Amino acid sequence: MIVILKPNIDSDSREFRRLESHVRNLQNIEMRVHKVTGAEQVLTEIYLIGNTAALSLDEMKSFPGVDHVVRISEEYRVLGRHKDDHRPNNFTYNGVNFSQDNLNIFAGLCAVDSPASVEAMMKALQEHGQVCTRMGAYKPRTSAYSFQGHGKNCLQYVFELAGKYGIKVISMEVTHESHVDEINEALAETGTPTGVMLQIGTRNTQNFELLKIVGRQQEFPVLLKRGFGITLDESLHAAEYLASEGNQKVIFGLRGMKTNIGDPHRNIVDFAHIPVVKRLTRMPVCIDPSHSVGSRSRGGDKILDIMHITAQGVIAGANMILVDFHPDPSRALVDGPQALRMDELHPFLEDVRIVRAAFKQRLRLFNENTV
Amino acid sequence: MIVILKPNIDSDSREFRRLESHVRNLQNIEMRVHKVTGAEQVLTEIYLIGNTAALSLDEMKSFPGVDHVVRISEEYRVLGRHKDDHRPNNFTYNGVNFSQDNLNIFAGLCAVDSPASVEAMMKALQEHGQVCTRMGAYKPRTSAYSFQGHGKNCLQYVFELAGKYGIKVISMEVTHESHVDEINEALAETGTPTGVMLQIGTRNTQNFELLKIVGRQQEFPVLLKRGFGITLDESLHAAEYLASEGNQKVIFGLRGMKTNIGDPHRNIVDFAHIPVVKRLTRMPVCIDPSHSVGSRSRGGDKILDIMHITAQGVIAGANMILVDFHPDPSRALVDGPQALRMDELHPFLEDVRIVRAAFKQRLRLFNENTV
Amino acid sequence: MIVILKPNIDSDSREFRRLESHVRNLQNIEMRVHKVTGAEQVLTEIYLIGNTAALSLDEMKSFPGVDHVVRISEEYRVLGRHKDDHRPNNFTYNGVNFSQDNLNIFAGLCAVDSPASVEAMMKALQEHGQVCTRMGAYKPRTSAYSFQGHGKNCLQYVFELAGKYGIKVISMEVTHESHVDEINEALAETGTPTGVMLQIGTRNTQNFELLKIVGRQQEFPVLLKRGFGITLDESLHAAEYLASEGNQKVIFGLRGMKTNIGDPHRNIVDFAHIPVVKRLTRMPVCIDPSHSVGSRSRGGDKILDIMHITAQGVIAGANMILVDFHPDPSRALVDGPQALRMDELHPFLEDVRIVRAAFKQRLRLFNENTV
Amino acid sequence: MIVILKPNIDSDSREFRRLESHVRNLQNIEMRVHKVTGAEQVLTEIYLIGNTAALSLDEMKSFPGVDHVVRISEEYRVLGRHKDDHRPNNFTYNGVNFSQDNLNIFAGLCAVDSPASVEAMMKALQEHGQVCTRMGAYKPRTSAYSFQGHGKNCLQYVFELAGKYGIKVISMEVTHESHVDEINEALAETGTPTGVMLQIGTRNTQNFELLKIVGRQQEFPVLLKRGFGITLDESLHAAEYLASEGNQKVIFGLRGMKTNIGDPHRNIVDFAHIPVVKRLTRMPVCIDPSHSVGSRSRGGDKILDIMHITAQGVIAGANMILVDFHPDPSRALVDGPQALRMDELHPFLEDVRIVRAAFKQRLRLFNENTV
């Protein structure tokens, strides 16, 4: 059961304390408090765990300060959508809003290779009005003998350059808890010129210990990518590991599933699941067309497969795009063959704009028609 | 090697006979003649099979009446795209053009159940300006004890009603060669009031004997659906069985792949392969959103998953849509849960119109930008 | 509901006619009669289809001539195992018994290429006491341009050589109904020197029209291979298409599933399903190690993977083995790389003998222990 | 390049120092030293990394103390088999030998629930002459709200009871580096009455940071389970993360692959890969029949599927079996439905004994025949 308090009620208030003391006296009921920071207000949610079947919805609603009460099922308790559940489907971080209703683009480097590449990328983004990017410092590689990313050595210059070019959020994969500490330190040393979204990759979707630790910090939002060998349901359950530890700023990432039925693409694209994730949970949905497709193939229509696949995500309501660019793909250290070039940034953004406008037209069509 | 003749040259001409007598004298070279009926002209293509490595491209080009010559690789000889290959990617049947550059919608009944349902469907289509439909008479069912379709018993009324409501092409699955005979007979008996596109379903994609027989007739075009358990490459090879027997009026259908990683959808949607099929072959590409999704689930945006997935196909350049409708889905004999209702036909068509317009905008964007 | 008559009761008997007239008077009940030819007797089974819920088991049992009565569930009606179902799990064809309790080996040519290869194979089999073989005349190939088998042209010499060397049953794939006619003709012309088991390959597992036609003839037994892209349940349902048309002499073949998680093997071996098929149905289970593995790789223990995989099938109770041999694998027209050589026939048979003996020891262990 | 020293040469010897000083002078060559503890001797292996193409095999061989030199390919450098590679395929830990040539059984509790269960299990093992077991303290669960294992709280009694009943090696999954510390502490506090094999589960196969940390300690051997959604090749590459950090005491575990084509089994059994892993690498291969099958289903032959699948592993040369038992499966906290009962331990061991004997007969057959 979730008890959502009215906007102006926090855990120091009299209303909160009265409710708390009531719950403490209940048998076999545990209580966890989450704060959800939206664009305009902070919401307090109280999760009651245990034998809640015996609790009365009406009684809980009757406490002062309570806005509404939701009885939750076993599935995706915190991040899921439940009956009569009006909890928000968005959050704000470092001035950027992430929501099931908007779209943010994270074009950037799959792997940081040099300050020059980073600066070229950031500069181009600023010129095109972008405030988000992706930058890979820690790279999980199939082979122990491949380049593993520059790690903490590149963090300072990445953050400083982000600040210089007005980038507010960098999506950055972490594969170990120490990476979060290193990111925190580098941000502190550089005066926090930017923000970071922690990215958990497909190989760690069920690395539950990492999820728990990342979930315990509530500073950084988390982009959790779907596991490439498990069902959608299992990946959504993994997201709950983050939320159950306190961090609800979670974005769910689709990046293709690993099977040869997707050939000649690197993975079989799974963006048909966008409406499914948005129906089952309150998480914004990110797509990663670069890793899904894995190549710069293009058809007779002169359009890259990566752009077609991006369009497929956006037309169905994707909320975030993670896409690989590189000033010189042939010299990229990781996944060069799938990177877009700087001169493709403008048409990429234009293409997304066209398709997002069509998506909004579709929204209007169906919301007028069905009323 | 393919020798494509100039438009006005056919197999009775002097130019043709001169070329033919030259080829007959070549060692270890076999010759097959295909006629390709486009919207405005008939093209004659001569396939030279065997030891063609020894032939000179320039010599073949020098014959009068020859338009151009293409040296083909092993892959998808007839339907594939080869270097400097300008053969058409379209054909016309019963007044309807099928092309990699346009879009035809085939809304209709997954399975014919009664004349009343058929008439309700055809009438609605005519009211919305549609001239194509799908009508299932022969239904391959997992269980031997399930309803197997009304078969030839329904053909006459289906064709008559099609004629009455101006339907020009009906897509209809066949699972045995005798079905083609039955269709021919029923058309003859009813005075050929409509046309038929023969549909080969996913369970028969590698039923090569059926493909050969259907490929030998050149009257009806063929919609070949991708096999749901094989690679894309293997399905494209299957299409060659049709073409190598003489029928090049082939449309390739994507309908989702069978694996539990697509859950909760019935199949994992594979429409990311649209640009791939259009790059590798000259076949128009059809999508089947109904069988891919398999349910009427919809999200908070009030849009059915089936419509989101249709949009994903159209935004990437799909050329044909096969979609299940039914006047009363709850009483449909097959796949009722995935059928759209009659009052959803208008918004469905509107939605497709919005997305197709966006696709055309995308085409302009990339063709202006990259020149 | 299945009414199994006593061994000495057939459809001309008084008992049968009395029962028949009773059933004819029942409302909404259809009656089908199957004859099952076992090693020692002929059993008559009467399938009652329709509203059988209203029938009394006891009343049906009380008719003279009735041995026992089984109420069947929807699943695998004819070939499945139902509660209190004592129908046989074996049949005899041309003197060879096929059963869930024994093991037959079909070593032979994947594709017939020449009389010399066929004779070398048959001769070697006779020298090793074998009376069964596999011989491929009709070969379904991924590409329309690959060798498609010698077809009916090779049948006569294959059958004559089989007769010469005492081969009683040849497993032979058919991909079209006309192949059954051709086989019948060739057998007639050669004086029926041998028997044929019709093999339906993995590409035709859901070619239901072929299954129905092959199921309608009751002369030849049928080996139905599992579909490589569908669930086990769906493949077992396909077997019912054969049985529902009258042919219960069906063997179910496991041959690996098509997915890259089986790499470097050609398919992922699925022989763990042997006990599952034997639990759910009454069909003997065949394994095809050659197509599962697809290569002659061997490990440090000097044992070919094909032999290890064969052993895995036999130790879990496989009843039939289909395995590719060739007098000169490097010159085989189809699948040469996976064929065993003639000098490997002896160790192959020895290996199977060792493992089958161990399987029988296991049977004794568990049947003594659990009583 | 790997330089393997003679058995009596270690890193303090004159021979070693002479070789070391030579290598230190080489350009662009890095040197890593591994010690491999076998049953009877300690081997020193020197890995030369970098521009080794320029080195002469003969020159390296000519140094005193050098036994042989192996030039390695990119694939599985440390654990792989290379041309003329005679490095050992076995190691000894706490008196137990693990090898590609023998078989160890680890029957035990999937999840530790109570001291009583642990003691019942250990006692039964001792009575049947077993010295290894599995005991799950840290359980990765799909849902954040499921029982996650007793963790460090149970370690002391598990280790003490192991000591009491003569258990020498406990296989125990770890999902975070802190678990290794906790295991070390609990062993120290209880006087190291037993040994531990660290198990990395299928969800962490590509948790490279965990692999690196576990690879850096050389006390405990590691059982790395195959990732259930990646190729075999990728899982073997993951094993190199352990070895490249210094720990070569690695066993590779097959436990089934996650896909619905394995239904009704929990996973599709992949034990056909046993000979493949033994061919490509020097790792002993473990099988986990319990998690592959996931149920106590049994056929008409009264044999549990779990036992049939175990037999399939053993007949093809498996070197270790991980199998779930429980004194009272209906009360097990995790995976009770797949656990065997105490009275099934004896027949299980007998069954394995029968099949292992058959495997040895097979070995003799092929090693006599092919010489």
Side-chain angles (χ1 to χ4, degrees), chain A residues 32 49 74 76-78 140-145 148 175-177 179 203-204 206-209 212-213 228-231 234 237-238 240-241 243-244 258, chain D residues 32 74 76-78 140-145 148 175-177 179 203-204 206-210 212-213 228-231 234 237-238 240-241 243-244 258:
Chain A
R32 288 192 196 175
I49 296 167
E74 283 303 292
Y76 328 132
R77 290 184 193 172
V78 180
R141 304 301 300 282
T142 298
S143 167
Y145 308 107
Q148 312 269 319
T175 58
H176 189 258
E177 61 207 71
H179 302 161
R203 289 170 185 80
N204 287 298
Q206 290 192 317
N207 178 350
F208 300 131
E209 297 304 316
K212 286 181 199 167
I213 292 166
F228 54 25
I230 55 178
T231 61
E234 289 167 323
H237 270 112
E240 281 287 299
Y241 270 92
S244 74
K258 197 174 187 70
Chain D
R32 288 193 197 173
E74 284 302 291
Y76 328 132
R77 291 185 193 171
V78 180
R141 304 301 301 280
T142 299
S143 167
Y145 308 108
Q148 311 269 321
T175 58
H176 188 261
E177 62 208 66
H179 302 161
R203 290 169 185 80
N204 286 300
Q206 290 191 316
N207 178 351
F208 300 131
E209 297 304 317
L210 180 61
K212 286 181 199 167
I213 292 167
F228 53 25
I230 54 178
T231 61
E234 290 167 324
H237 271 112
E240 281 287 299
Y241 272 92
S244 74
K258 197 175 186 70

Side-chain angles (χ1 to χ4, degrees), chain D residues 179-190:
Chain D
H179 302 161
V180 184
D181 299 334
E182 291 171 7
I183 288 169
N184 260 318
E185 280 163 34
L187 279 175
E189 280 167 20
T190 52

Side-chain angles (χ1 to χ4, degrees), chain C residues 109 111-118 136 147 150 157 326-328 331-333:
Chain C
L109 304 181
V112 170
D113 47 9
S114 70
S117 292
V118 174
F147 170 65
H150 286 313
Y157 69 74
H326 198 280
D328 185 357
R331 300 173 66 180
L333 295 177

Side-chain angles (χ1 to χ4, degrees), chain A residues 151-162:
Chain A
K152 70 175 175 180
N153 298 328
C154 69
L155 295 182
Q156 292 205 15
Y157 70 75
V158 167
F159 295 158
E160 281 163 0
L161 287 165

Side-chain angles (χ1 to χ4, degrees), chain C residues 259-269 291-297 305, chain D residues 76 226 231-234 236 270 272-277 279-280:
Chain C
T259 147
N260 62 338
I261 57 179
D263 291 350
H265 289 155
R266 182 168 169 183
N267 292 289
I268 188 158
V269 180
H291 286 81
S292 301
V293 169
S295 81
R296 287 181 52 85
S297 298
D305 284 14
Chain D
Y76 328 132
R226 177 179 189 177
T231 61
L232 179 62
D233 177 63
E234 290 167 324
L236 296 178
D270 56 351
H273 279 154
I274 292 169
V276 179
V277 178
R279 171 164 66 242
L280 298 177

